[in-house]
Amino acid sequence: MVESKTAYAVVAEKIRRKILDGTFAPGSRLPSDADLREAYAVGQSTIREALRTLSSEHLVRSVRGVNGGTFVTIPTVGHLGSQLEVGVTLLASSDSISIDDLMEIRHVTEVPAAGYAASRRTDEDLDKLRNSDPSLRSEESSFSSHSTFHQQIVEAAHNPLLEVVTIPLFNALQNIVGEANAAANIGSSVSHDHSALFDAIVRRDSMEAMSLMRRHLDSVSDYYRSRGL
């Protein structure tokens, strides 16, 4: 019988592997605590701690009641994204990564996202883009609206993995920089860039959309450097 201070971590790792290799599929119920105790030759406290560890990693969730038990979590884009946002923000806050590092990744993800958005966008996507930034309607815009505009472009690319990676990085950058230093404060320059990007997406001009996004992000990077960020 395996019992030690790290026994629960060993069991958690074995269950984690079965989740990741598909043995325990998303949405499925794990074996009962009794079956897990028998399978891993450990006590109830070890199983409880192992499941608590997996729950803290959002890999499993507990459901009470007659049909309850411990179930493998079904991941969502929003949930995965929020985890990445928290992790990246903490890394940047500890000076493990820089603003330039984050902007480089924005170039890697948002430039192709703009191209995909231009080729794949729907009329509904255009409505969301148009409504996301008041500057597209010749009205005064804000920090939050500029942020929403970028998120809508990524969503218009219709690739969930792009959303998982790109939107959290963008949000993490804004968390670190703060609204007082946000690129929205460039003012008319951002509004002009967004208007040109919107027009390219309307025309389904993927190459132009990518070129405009690249130039826009270059301007934002220069702005942050000028602020000493």
Side-chain angles (χ1 to χ4, degrees):
M1 187 171 183
V2 179
E3 291 287 352
S4 70
K5 291 183 179 180
T6 59
Y8 76 89
V10 173
V11 172
E13 174 60 23
K14 289 179 179 178
I15 297 174
R16 186 185 298 110
R17 288 175 184 169
K18 289 192 174 184
I19 291 173
L20 296 179
D21 71 14
T23 301
F24 297 145
S28 66
R29 180 190 289 138
L30 292 184
S32 68
D33 285 8
D35 289 340
L36 290 173
R37 290 199 304 271
E38 181 178 352
Y40 298 113
V42 294
Q44 179 61 34
S45 62
T46 299
I47 294 299
R48 188 181 299 116
E49 287 301 317
L51 295 179
R52 185 176 290 123
T53 297
L54 296 172
S55 178
S56 70
E57 298 171 358
H58 305 286
L59 289 174
V60 301
R61 61 186 179 85
S62 296
V63 177
R64 296 184 179 183
V66 177
N67 297 317
T70 302
F71 293 82
V72 179
T73 301
I74 299 176
T76 65
V77 168
H79 179 253
L80 293 174
S82 65
Q83 286 184 289
L84 179 58
E85 179 180 337
V86 170
V88 172
T89 301
L90 290 174
L91 275 175
S93 298
S94 66
D95 295 326
S96 297
I97 56 176
S98 67
I99 300 296
D100 278 345
D101 292 331
L102 286 169
M103 289 304 301
E104 282 184 11
I105 299 303
R106 285 190 65 185
H107 274 77
V108 170
T109 58
E110 290 189 59
V111 171
Y116 290 133
S119 63
R120 298 171 180 173
R121 59 84 176 163
T122 64
D123 289 342
E124 182 180 0
D125 290 325
L126 290 183
D127 287 340
K128 289 180 179 179
L129 275 168
R130 187 181 293 107
N131 293 327
S132 68
D133 189 346
S135 69
L136 299 176
R137 305 186 299 276
S138 300
E139 300 172 19
E140 186 176 350
S141 59
S142 65
F143 160 75
S144 61
S145 64
H146 287 307
S147 171
T148 303
F149 179 79
H150 280 265
Q151 293 184 26
Q152 291 298 339
I153 286 179
V154 174
E155 291 181 13
H158 294 285
N159 183 326
L161 288 178
L162 266 177
E163 293 182 47
V164 168
V165 174
T166 306
I167 294 177
L169 290 175
F170 182 78
N171 290 340
L173 178 64
Q174 302 309 325
N175 291 337
I176 298 157
V177 171
E179 188 162 350
N181 293 313
N185 294 316
I186 301 175
S188 60
S189 175
V190 169
S191 297
H192 177 271
D193 290 351
H194 284 190
S195 179
L197 267 166
F198 179 74
D199 288 343
I201 292 172
V202 169
R203 299 194 312 272
R204 297 188 185 278
D205 190 336
S206 296
M207 297 304 295
E208 178 68 5
M210 287 191 290
S211 178
L212 288 168
M213 180 63 84
R214 185 178 295 107
R215 291 205 297 268
H216 172 64
L217 294 176
D218 283 341
S219 296
V220 172
S221 295
D222 290 342
Y223 172 78
Y224 288 145
R225 293 190 192 101
S226 73
R227 305 281 292 191
L229 300 172

